[in-house]
Amino acid sequence: MSQNPNTPEPPDDDRPIVFRNGTVVTVDDQRRVLTNSDVLVIGTSIAAIGQHLAVPDGTFEIDATDGILMPGMIDTHRHMWQTAMRGYGADWTLTQYFVWYYLEHGKSFRPEDVHAGNRLSALDAIDAGVTTTVDWSHGLRTIDHGEAALDALRSSTGRFVLAYGNIFAGPWEWTADPDVLAFLAKNNTGADDLRFQLAFDVTGDPAFPERAAFEAARELGLPVTTHAGVWGATNDDGIRLMHENGFMAPETVYVHAATLSDDSYQRIAATGGSVSLSTESELSCGQGYPPSWILRQHGIPVSLSVDTSVWFSSDLFSAMRSTLGADRGWEHIKAHEHGDTVTHSHLRAEHVVEWATRGGAASLGMQNLVGSLEVGKRADIVLIKNDHSPTMYPILNPNGHIALQAGRGDVHTVMVDGAIAKYDGELLGDDLASVKKEIESTVDYLQSELGEPAWTQGMNPDAPEAKMLDNPYTYTDYKDASTHQKESERADVTL
């Protein structure tokens, strides 16, 4: 139901839909921004863009006045299965994340818990205007876990890439499992709304045991996505081994890539790969400083991602904002070290808007399908409009407004493949109620499985002792010093 009783309900049939009189941020080749324009959707595709469009009889109209129409956003790296633990690890370090999920409690997740996390994460994405999500699903300990993850994606609204992985075994082991290979071969049909990757990391071991996993990916015709350049975990040796053995490809996505040498960045650039930045994660966890500045220097394509809502915001508005802040902050710091002042920012709002849309599509090989608003492309469209918020008026710089002003609460309408999934600020359908029941069951189970002490301790890790710096300008006993000063003044007067 619409929040506004005067707003007409969206159609549940295949009638054409037109967005009227909005500011259209196309993210096309010319990066056009069109004012007072309409977008007509017929079937699954964008049929026309322009002012005062003539539309077929019976077309459903959505008023986009004072709003921004943009392509559906694309998240290239989200551990969807962890969404059932939203916010649990707010104060974690990367080490604590590794210990909790990899060594201790991640193995407690049942297939139904992976299913619950994926369903909630899929709704979460749509609510924030993310229409395509890579499920970096590295909790698939068994084929039943894989089936659960896949079923959740298939039953959810959105476009997905299931990046199949298993952190509890070496990739050379689980990619040799006949059941896993059969699962991937059976389900990788090339459908526009559900594609596959293999998700695994490269340790840098000179023996290069990951070769078998790369060969399996090649045999299956699947791209590889890998955490690269993560401080203390993956390094230049992994990139070098991939390159020397011929496994770096244009479709390879390197996540974080924050602590690599120029040599590694050059190898990525030369082989046409792209980097998925999870800036909130990199800033908080310590994978390395977000490398947007050096990626720009090497001409490496960039997409954005949220990583995991166990810690961070699960929307790309936050990702755009933090990426701009981190990049600009780094430029200022480096300039100040040399006594200089930055007078012009290199990274602009339009760049991060592009990374959140078109950049993601290109990294996933979907650039001819989604990522921009153009006639003939699939109608994955987001309307940002909130007549009840002062933040959404005036709109003077549309890209700047998307990147630095708007938020998920301003997402009015979300369309995927021509079908409306969110309208007038509310998700359509009754999925949220059933998802909440699944999540409640998962949380109850995990609390019981871990026990209350471990559950509480995991959420509240010990804080290191903080030492206050000595301040030479602070009196040890201010009152005594003040009294002594006054007594001296009185003595001077008496004399």
Side-chain angles (χ1 to χ4, degrees), residues 23 144 168 257 277 342 355 390 475:
T23 297
D144 288 340
F168 306 104
L277 286 180
V342 174
W355 291 353
Y475 288 107

Side-chain angles (χ1 to χ4, degrees), residues 413-445:
T413 299
V414 179
M415 174 180 282
V416 183
D417 240 8
I420 297 176
K422 181 180 182 180
Y423 181 67
D424 198 23
E426 290 193 4
L427 292 166
L428 301 185
D430 58 0
D431 285 352
L432 184 56
S434 64
V435 169
K436 283 182 175 180
K437 290 182 179 179
E438 281 193 52
I439 294 296
E440 182 179 4
S441 175
T442 284
V443 171
D444 287 346
Y445 161 75

Side-chain angles (χ1 to χ4, degrees), residues 25 31 39 45 54 122 208 237 289 309 331 357 398 432 437 483 491:
V25 177
R31 279 49 172 182
V39 177
S45 301
F208 194 44
D237 287 334
Y289 198 85
S309 57
E331 280 205 318
T357 53
L432 184 56
K437 290 182 179 179
T483 301

Side-chain angles (χ1 to χ4, degrees), residues 225-240:
T225 177
T226 182
H227 295 109
V230 174
W231 179 262
T234 55
N235 54 37
D236 292 307
D237 287 334
I239 298 294
R240 177 182 55 79

